[in-house]
């Protein structure tokens, strides 16, 4: 089994496209409204594009109209890492894959969405792959 946290930067560059590398390994952001999963309602499991680790499920996805796919909860408490991000002159909480520590997006709270958690995991489509399958709530 690969320990993705030990993969060197050169290998990540070979495994990922330049756009994927920019978002996943350099904490970039895809332009709003351009991601393939922003408006997807297909049932399934979202996995990290870098390592295949399960990160989100379609059952927790909701339409926030923010320009990126939104979820109110990750697939499990240990599936993502959240850490404070003070870049760009603001305080945000970055969301990373718990398996390979690739950048997925950010999580915001208190925005008033009618979800069970009042959280919005704002995730780059390019950081995920959707495995279409039936998902239990």
């Amino acid at each position: 089994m690969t320990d993705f946290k030990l993969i060197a930067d050169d290998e990540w560059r070979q495994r990922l496209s330049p756009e994927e590398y920019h978002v996943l390994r350099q904490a970039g952001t895809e332009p709003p409204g351009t991601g393939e999963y922003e408006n997807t309602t297909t049932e399934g499991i979202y996995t990290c594009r870098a390592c295949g680790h399960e990160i989100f499920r379609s059952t927790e996805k909701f339409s926030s109209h923010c320009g990126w796919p939104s979820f109110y909860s990750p697939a499990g408490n240990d599936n993502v890492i959240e850490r404070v991000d003070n870049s760009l002159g603001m305080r945000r909480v970055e969301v990373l894959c718990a398996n390979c520590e690739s950048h997925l997006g950010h999580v915001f709270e208190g925005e008033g969405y009618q979800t069970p958690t009042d959280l919005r995991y704002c995730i780059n489509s390019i950081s995920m792959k959707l495995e279409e399958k039936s998902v239990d709530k």
Side-chain angles (χ1 to χ4, degrees):
M1 185 169 165
T2 303
D3 186 347
F4 288 95
K5 294 175 185 172
L6 299 178
I7 292 179
D9 192 55
D10 288 348
E11 187 174 338
W12 281 121
R13 287 183 187 275
Q14 291 175 354
R15 288 175 173 248
L16 303 169
S17 72
E19 295 82 11
E20 291 167 347
Y21 180 83
H22 174 66
V23 172
L24 288 157
R25 304 309 301 170
Q26 296 179 313
T29 301
E30 66 192 1
T34 63
E36 68 180 305
Y37 300 127
E38 178 188 2
N39 297 309
T40 299
T41 57
T42 304
E43 189 175 6
I45 306 281
Y46 290 88
T47 60
C48 175
R49 191 173 297 261
C51 72
H53 183 66
E54 181 179 340
I55 49 179
F56 294 96
R57 292 176 171 233
S58 60
T59 50
E60 285 75 43
K61 189 173 189 289
F62 71 100
S63 184
S64 68
H65 306 288
C66 71
W68 295 273
S70 297
F71 302 84
Y72 61 80
S73 178
N77 291 335
D78 296 332
N79 292 52
V80 300
I81 299 167
E82 297 177 15
R83 73 173 172 212
V84 174
D85 173 5
N86 289 315
S87 66
L88 304 176
M90 64 181 96
R91 184 183 189 283
R92 300 179 294 174
V93 177
E94 182 181 17
V95 179
L96 304 135
C97 172
N99 191 48
C100 69
E101 297 184 359
S102 287
H103 174 79
L104 304 173
H106 290 87
V107 61
F108 303 93
E109 68 177 313
E111 296 180 315
Y113 290 104
Q114 298 299 308
T115 62
T117 63
D118 199 23
L119 297 174
R120 177 175 59 94
Y121 286 82
C122 183
I123 307 299
N124 292 286
S125 286
I126 200 167
S127 67
M128 303 183 288
K129 287 185 181 177
L130 175 59
E131 180 184 333
E132 294 183 29
K133 64 191 292 184
S134 215
V135 181
D136 293 329
K137 287 192 176 205

